[in-house]
Amino acid sequence: MSTYVLLPGAASDHRHWRLVVPGLRAHGHDVITPDLPCEDDSAGFEEYADVVVAAVRGYGDLVVVAQSMAGFTAPIVATRVPVARIVLVNAMVPVAGESGGQWWETSGLRPVRRAKELRAGRDPDREFDPVEIFLHDVPEELREEPLGQSDTPFAKPWPLQRWPDVPTTAVASTGDRLFPVEFQRELLRERLGITPVEIAGGHLPALANPDGLVRTLL
């Protein structure tokens, strides 16, 4: 059996995975949901990886699942401990020297997202609404106030020279309004040479489509 290490995205913690954990454990897998130091201004992606490495000590056959911004952290973890597989879920995929802040421009996201918003009849220049972008398909009872998110990870360059030599797969949500699925397909093709498995849902499938995400992870 595997040990699934579930990493949340920005301004989130272990609660993000509460509907996914039972499904994985029901199949006999171990599950670890470390809380990353998202509110700590002294912590960048290397410090996030420190927390994960400490949490997985003593476990084997690690499958590191990275939601959104955790795409910067998962590969760092894979250079420090043996990892069987990385699974990206609507994730940011960095290249050498790219910071989390730079990624929004260098990844090519903005023009694709703008075109998608226009096609959907939404004003791309409107004020950012987290409910509309992140939570539009998440049941209200599962919506919680986000944690604080330090800007430090967005300022520091990604420290690796290349993606680690670890089998990597990806899950992309067809209804993601933050990272449109057509953007994810191209990003994953260009940067990792892989094609994502597509599932229903928005940016947060662990909350909006947990059964579909569990089936895909398994």
Side-chain angles (χ1 to χ4, degrees):
M1 291 296 159
S2 298
T3 300
Y4 282 84
V5 186
L6 309 181
L7 307 184
S12 188
D13 61 13
H14 67 278
R15 293 171 297 174
H16 177 79
W17 302 107
R18 60 190 180 276
L19 301 181
V20 171
V21 171
L24 295 174
R25 287 183 173 158
H27 284 80
H29 299 290
D30 288 324
V31 184
I32 301 173
T33 56
D35 288 337
L36 305 180
C38 61
E39 298 181 306
D40 184 354
D41 286 334
S42 69
F45 290 121
E46 293 194 80
E47 288 73 26
Y48 284 29
D50 290 341
V51 171
V52 180
V53 169
V56 303
R57 190 170 292 119
Y59 290 88
D61 196 22
L62 303 179
V63 178
V64 180
V65 181
Q67 163 71 33
S68 196
M69 193 177 82
F72 271 75
T73 301
I76 303 175
V77 173
T79 66
R80 299 186 186 177
V81 294
V83 169
R85 180 163 56 105
I86 295 171
V87 184
L88 303 170
V89 180
N90 298 325
M92 301 168 75
V93 179
V95 293
E98 186 177 57
S99 71
Q102 291 170 332
W103 182 91
W104 295 87
E105 299 296 337
T106 54
S107 67
L109 170 63
R110 295 195 188 278
V112 178
R113 185 175 162 202
R114 183 178 183 85
K116 183 71 175 281
E117 291 289 280
L118 289 170
R119 287 197 302 272
R122 294 186 292 265
D123 179 6
D125 299 316
R126 69 195 183 284
E127 184 177 354
F128 186 85
D129 181 349
V131 173
E132 183 182 14
I133 299 298
F134 294 109
L135 303 171
H136 58 93
D137 62 341
V138 175
E140 287 193 22
E141 64 270 19
L142 298 177
R143 299 177 184 178
E144 296 180 353
E145 286 297 316
L147 303 174
Q149 176 59 59
S150 168
D151 290 335
T152 300
F154 295 99
K156 290 186 175 181
W158 192 57
L160 303 185
Q161 292 304 305
R162 62 182 183 88
W163 197 264
D165 187 20
V166 172
T168 301
T169 57
V171 182
S173 296
T174 56
D176 193 337
R177 295 180 180 178
L178 184 67
F179 301 158
V181 67
E182 53 266 53
F183 160 75
Q184 294 194 61
R185 292 181 195 130
E186 186 64 15
L187 180 76
L188 291 162
R189 184 190 67 78
E190 286 188 352
R191 295 194 169 188
L192 295 178
I194 63 176
T195 301
V197 175
E198 297 180 16
I199 64 173
H203 190 64
L204 307 176
L207 297 173
N209 183 15
D211 291 342
L213 181 57
V214 167
R215 284 195 300 271
T216 304
L217 293 177
L218 291 172

